[in-house]
Amino acid sequence: MTEMEERAEGASTAQERADLHSHTTYSDGALTPEQLVRKAKSSGITTLGITDHDNVGALAEAAECGRSVGVDIIPGLELSATLGEKDVHILAYLFDPSNERLLEYLEFFRRERLKRAERMVKKLNQLSIPVTLEAVLDHAGIGSVGRPHVASALLAGGYISNYHEAFDRYIGVGAPAYEKKYQVSPQEAVRLVALAGGVSFFAHPGKYTTEADLVQLINVGLDGIEVVHPSHSPTMQQHYRRLAQQYFLLESGGSDFHGGRKNDDTVFGAYTVPMRVVEEMRRRCFRSSR
Ligand SMILES: [Zn+2]
Ligand SMILES: [Zn+2]
């Protein structure tokens, strides 16, 4: 496949277009589930995977809105895991969003995130920065609290002059108010998804992983690799597609749309995958459930 064709597949203009990676206000997205689904509709997306970080709160509302506007919603989730010293993301699809074990885990993880935010605020206070946990939680809204919200609270309080300074001076790895995340292994994440009847994919491998990390992750039993992503050049897409084929894995893809700060509207509708990708995922779930 040439680079041009490669790009054409990533930016399909066929009638049916699936974007399998997006975020709402239930994690760090700027749009509510309903706003996101409506935006998908107007962007020409016919199948939308909603993949909030460690949170499934958006799925019911999104599915209802999807039914009324004519967008097929794929239940999704972007799980945080740790590989060695690195944070990695595992995308899950087509699981049962009411699976008890999964919900218990997400609730546990939510509490751990809250405790971590508390510890960072305490450290910042010790550094004579009077930011409060309430201010941090205000920035998180209904979503899972994380370092971006601590950074936003620091910026809003006038303690720093730009968003990145929060990470460089205070909460980045090795900085004085940094706190480690609760650590979940990729194996645990993949197992949790499988027990809830879903499939798991390694998210945006090109963003931060080496070939060795990828092989290690493949060995924990992932079902596939995210091939189409704004951080992947056409050559990288080709590379990950080949790897998926080599290891008999499925592929997925999407825009990782957040709205607002993280990326602009131009990505939504520009990073889609053909419908066969969704059909293969469904087949894999069906086969595993027998
Ligand atoms: Zn991610
Ligand atoms: Zn994402």
Side-chain angles (χ1 to χ4, degrees), residues 21 23 53 78 89 203-204 207-208 229 256:
H21 193 158
H23 295 270
H53 295 285
E78 187 166 18
H89 290 166
H204 43 70
K207 231 171 150 177
Y208 45 44
H229 187 269
D256 208 351

Side-chain angles (χ1 to χ4, degrees), residues 205-252:
K207 231 171 150 177
Y208 45 44
T209 28
T210 64
E211 206 74 23
D213 292 337
L214 187 54
V215 172
Q216 226 182 309
L217 277 163
I218 289 171
N219 287 334
V220 308
L222 284 169
D223 295 286
I225 304 175
E226 186 174 50
V227 171
V228 173
H229 187 269
S231 69
H232 293 172
S233 68
T235 312
M236 283 158 90
Q237 283 188 28
Q238 202 166 15
H239 172 68
Y240 291 122
R241 184 164 291 128
R242 244 189 244 124
L243 265 178
Q245 284 163 356
Q246 187 184 336
Y247 288 93
F248 303 102
L249 295 173
L250 304 181
E251 59 179 84
S252 72

Side-chain angles (χ1 to χ4, degrees), residues 11 24 57 74 104 140 176 185-186 209 226 232 241 252 257 269 271 288 290:
T24 74
I74 303 284
E104 265 170 33
S185 73
T209 28
E226 186 174 50
H232 293 172
R241 184 164 291 128
S252 72
F257 180 74
Y271 292 88
S288 326
R290 281 189 304 173

Side-chain angles (χ1 to χ4, degrees), residues 46-206:
T46 53
T47 297
L48 179 68
I50 297 187
T51 52
D52 278 312
H53 295 285
D54 307 301
N55 195 312
V56 292
L59 299 179
E61 183 187 330
E64 199 186 313
C65 179
R67 274 191 294 275
S68 73
V69 302
V71 176
D72 192 16
I73 303 298
I74 303 284
L77 181 61
E78 187 166 18
L79 289 165
S80 313
T82 311
L83 182 71
E85 289 294 297
K86 277 182 202 165
D87 287 339
V88 292
H89 290 166
I90 310 276
L91 288 163
Y93 298 107
L94 298 170
F95 50 84
D96 169 11
S98 62
N99 179 275
E100 232 166 83
R101 196 192 288 240
L102 180 68
L103 292 177
E104 265 170 33
Y105 167 78
L106 294 175
E107 177 53 22
F108 168 79
F109 200 74
R110 190 190 67 79
R111 272 191 248 120
E112 288 300 322
R113 275 178 175 270
L114 186 62
K115 286 189 214 161
R116 181 191 187 210
E118 266 172 338
R119 292 196 301 270
M120 283 191 279
V121 166
K122 210 169 165 189
K123 280 189 171 174
L124 286 162
N125 294 163
Q126 283 162 357
L127 293 165
S128 305
I129 295 159
V131 67
T132 63
L133 182 65
E134 289 66 39
V136 173
L137 294 179
D138 267 356
H139 285 274
I142 51 172
S144 324
V145 64
R147 283 189 297 169
H149 308 116
V150 177
S152 299
L154 287 173
L155 189 60
Y159 309 117
I160 48 174
S161 54
N162 66 69
Y163 181 80
H164 294 288
E165 196 184 331
F167 291 85
D168 296 340
R169 283 183 62 187
Y170 300 113
I171 56 172
V173 179
Y178 174 72
E179 274 290 325
K180 260 194 172 165
K181 250 188 186 167
Y182 175 77
Q183 307 223 320
V184 184
S185 73
Q187 283 95 322
E188 284 172 272
V190 167
R191 194 175 133 76
L192 196 68
V193 175
L195 287 172
V199 282
S200 45
F201 287 72
F202 185 24
H204 43 70

